[in-house]
Amino acid sequence: MENRTEQVDVVVVGGGPGGSTVATLLARRGHSVVLLEKEKFPRYQIGESLLPATVHGVCKLLGVSDEMEAAGFVHKRGGSFRWGTNPVPWNFLFSISPEFSGPTSNAYQVERARFDEILLRNAARCGADVREECDVTGAVQTGGRVTGVTYRDADGAEHEISAAYVVDASGNRSSLWRATGGERTYSEHFQNVAVFGYFNGGGRLPAPNSGNILCEAFDEGWLWYIPLGDDLTSVGAVISRENASQVQGDREAALLKFIGRSTYVKDMLKDATRVDDDSMYGTVRIRKDYSYANTRFHAPGIVLIGDAACFIDPVFSTGVHLATYAGVLAARSINSVLDKSVTEERAFAEFEGRYRREYSVFYEFLSSFYNMDQAEDSYFWRARKVTNLSESSFEAFVSLVAGGYSQERVLTDGEQVAARFARSSEDLARAAERTGGMQSDSGQRMNHLFATPVVREVMEEMNALQANSGESREVVEPPLLDGGLVPTGDGLGWTEPAMVAG
């Protein structure tokens, strides 16, 4: 029997937070999505510290807030830094930020194996076809456009999927990004190496800030100290490339040596023991933390998000924030093009413009933050300068490191955006009934739901209601880019400003 090529709307490569985010938001718009993940979840991943923008913005939009709360992750109210010329640690709380005061003034410290699985399983529940242990081997290109991927399944069988779009969310080690025709440009300033492990029995900061991250600078670099539970702590040393030779050979000895050069982290670990069992936490690992950005984040038929597109030094725990935010932006662009509401050129110019804007402000701020010959007030002032926010310097600093720089409501007011999405979903469900739309036995949505005239009519009616209702005027966002687009009311697409301004 002939093995025909599978055809879907979108293939997402990689099941981390970025991939799960984009897959969920595409499937919720009724598009057929296949997510290919190389490993079997749960699996280990670095990067345990989240920002409020992810927890109260993206996670709310994805519908996983209750699961996140039930998971019992450590609450993170802010951070503590022994940094710069001040010998005493200085602290910040997310509640200082105008965007994240009140009930949204916390984030979580998460075990990524558990957090990532929550997002991946949610993507499957929302209609994405999640396939684990599937290794993508290359991009398929036709006439200058990426039109699908090839992959190898757990049994070694080769497959090909054709798609209108491929989203590369496969991390920094994949070569799929090369299909954009761009290059990867590495930073001259942030070429660091991290050596890290996990400890039981480490100390905690005084309550109620016991869940905060602690970062402490020392001569060769800096240390992170992240409480992941009552007993488990992630500890890592980030050192410059010039000192990378010190981590060759015995990794544990190198990590303990760097810890010994600190003051506060060393004291927190005085009664602790390193986890050295057969669990995912029993290994001392090394990661090359070279910051970089690709010259192209998209090309016809392919979009890059997360570490596939860019990476920034981890001192402010921005990795998951940038990946999930990029997932939201990519989903908006693909949804809008597939729904024929925005041209491909306009949609992906908005995606790349917003994504680079977010990456660039962190990069610019970190360029000054690594200057240790300053007091913390200088860092706060610099944060206000690079963000151009109207609030005080300290508030601007906290807004930036909490993920609120873009002022996007999907990040700072996730409750309201999610509520609007829920109302939209009810209207779409009624439209699906009118078209006779059904679900397959596997629970997947039928392909191309939005190609039906009745559903498109409902979407147009909803847009008109949003444009003319008093409620919608309260949530209208101005364009972030000159001449750019704005998010639709449900946060899942783009539209022209005039269409929602009323």
Side-chain angles (χ1 to χ4, degrees):
M1 184 175 179
E2 183 182 358
N3 183 22
R4 295 192 301 173
T5 300
E6 186 178 3
Q7 176 72 50
V8 296
D9 291 328
V10 184
V11 172
V12 178
V13 183
S20 293
T21 295
V22 69
T24 298
L25 302 182
L26 291 168
R28 280 186 168 181
R29 274 287 185 97
H31 303 303
S32 56
V33 182
V34 169
L35 186 155
L36 301 174
E37 166 54 44
K38 183 177 181 179
E39 299 185 52
K40 177 70 175 177
F41 276 42
R43 56 88 177 96
Y44 174 80
Q45 185 59 271
I46 189 176
E48 303 97 343
S49 198
L50 303 185
L51 305 186
T54 303
V55 173
H56 301 290
V58 176
C59 287
K60 179 69 70 174
L61 184 64
L62 295 177
V64 297
S65 295
D66 290 343
E67 279 187 88
M68 292 286 289
E69 187 66 32
F73 294 129
V74 171
H75 279 240
K76 166 187 172 184
R77 301 177 72 237
S80 298
F81 281 79
R82 163 58 283 281
W83 204 277
T85 57
N86 190 344
V88 178
W90 47 272
N91 308 294
F92 71 87
L93 297 176
F94 293 130
S95 59
I96 297 296
S97 165
E99 296 83 10
F100 299 105
S101 58
T104 62
S105 62
N106 75 286
Y108 293 118
Q109 314 283 19
V110 299
E111 295 180 67
R112 283 287 302 277
R114 297 169 58 205
F115 171 69
D116 288 14
E117 187 167 29
I118 287 173
L119 298 193
L120 187 71
R121 303 305 172 212
N122 181 66
R125 287 195 301 271
C126 290
D129 182 353
V130 174
R131 304 177 189 177
E132 298 173 70
E133 298 181 282
C134 290
D135 185 13
V136 172
T137 53
V140 177
Q141 301 189 57
T142 307
R145 185 179 184 90
V146 173
T147 55
V149 299
T150 55
Y151 74 94
R152 186 180 300 110
D153 66 22
D155 297 323
E158 303 282 348
H159 304 269
E160 181 176 326
I161 305 182
S162 294
Y165 288 99
V166 172
V167 179
D168 182 10
S170 57
N172 64 341
R173 295 183 179 180
S174 170
S175 60
L176 195 63
W177 61 270
R178 298 183 187 277
T180 63
E183 298 179 353
R184 182 162 288 180
T185 303
Y186 286 88
S187 166
E188 296 180 359
H189 303 290
F190 304 116
Q191 298 186 1
N192 300 324
V193 175
V195 54
F196 54 97
Y198 297 82
F199 291 78
N200 287 327
R204 295 290 181 262
L205 296 170
N209 301 317
S210 55
N212 286 9
I213 187 173
L214 169 64
C215 295
E216 180 176 0
F218 61 100
D219 289 343
E220 291 93 344
W222 60 275
L223 289 156
W224 77 67
Y225 190 93
I226 302 174
L228 296 177
D230 292 338
D231 193 49
L232 183 66
T233 306
S234 171
V235 182
V238 178
I239 61 173
S240 63
R241 182 177 61 175
E242 291 75 18
N243 294 298
S245 60
Q246 297 187 49
V247 301
Q248 302 301 318
D250 191 332
R251 298 176 178 181
E252 180 176 22
L255 177 58
L256 294 177
K257 177 180 66 176
F258 293 134
I259 290 170
R261 293 181 185 173
S262 68
T263 299
Y264 296 93
V265 171
K266 178 176 64 177
D267 184 62
M268 298 281 270
L269 292 173
K270 67 179 186 300
D271 297 321
T273 56
R274 188 182 72 80
V275 179
D276 60 359
D277 55 24
D278 294 331
S279 71
M280 66 178 69
Y281 299 121
T283 302
V284 176
R285 293 177 166 89
I286 291 178
R287 169 165 169 158
K288 185 174 72 173
D289 277 345
Y290 285 19
S291 298
Y292 58 83
N294 289 2
T295 57
R296 301 188 69 173
F297 284 0
H298 70 93
I302 186 168
V303 188
L304 311 180
I305 65 174
D307 288 358
C310 55
F311 176 80
I312 191 73
D313 185 272
V315 65
F316 285 116
S317 308
T318 53
V320 173
H321 164 67
L322 286 171
T324 54
Y325 180 47
V328 172
L329 297 177
R332 286 175 180 168
S333 296
I334 295 173
N335 281 332
S336 299
V337 176
L338 292 181
D339 295 346
K340 297 182 171 56
S341 58
V342 178
T343 66
E344 184 172 83
E345 181 180 8
R346 287 278 282 155
F348 287 101
E350 192 70 29
F351 158 80
E352 181 147 350
R354 290 191 182 224
Y355 194 5
R356 287 195 185 278
R357 181 181 183 271
E358 192 78 3
Y359 175 89
S360 297
V361 74
F362 281 111
Y363 184 90
E364 185 178 350
F365 175 67
L366 285 171
S367 296
S368 63
F369 194 73
Y370 261 75
N371 180 356
M372 300 294 181
D373 296 326
Q374 302 179 77
E376 56 266 32
D377 287 349
S378 296
Y379 301 132
F380 305 154
W381 174 85
R382 183 62 180 170
R384 185 181 182 187
K385 188 174 189 298
V386 300
T387 60
N388 201 30
L389 295 175
S390 60
E391 51 224 40
S392 72
S393 295
F394 189 39
E395 288 173 332
F397 169 80
V398 178
S399 292
L400 175 62
V401 301
Y405 162 65
S406 70
Q407 306 288 297
E408 281 224 39
R409 289 186 182 273
V410 76
L411 300 181
T412 62
D413 195 5
E415 185 83 44
Q416 189 173 52
V417 176
R420 291 178 66 82
F421 170 76
R423 290 194 295 274
S424 299
S425 297
E426 292 174 2
D427 289 338
L428 292 175
R430 287 192 290 271
E433 292 176 2
R434 284 154 58 188
T435 63
M438 299 291 288
Q439 289 189 328
S440 67
D441 292 340
S442 64
Q444 305 291 341
R445 294 177 186 266
M446 295 296 286
N447 294 352
H448 312 301
L449 172 64
F450 281 80
T452 61
V454 175
V455 177
R456 190 169 306 284
E457 177 184 331
V458 172
M459 290 295 293
E460 291 172 354
E461 291 173 1
M462 287 165 52
N463 285 337
L465 287 172
Q466 291 171 1
N468 294 308
S469 70
E471 178 188 6
S472 72
R473 279 192 289 271
E474 293 177 4
V475 299
V476 166
E477 298 178 36
L480 204 59
L481 311 175
D482 289 342
L485 302 168
V486 297
T488 53
D490 63 4
L492 304 190
W494 298 120
T495 189
E496 297 292 343
M499 293 181 65
V500 295

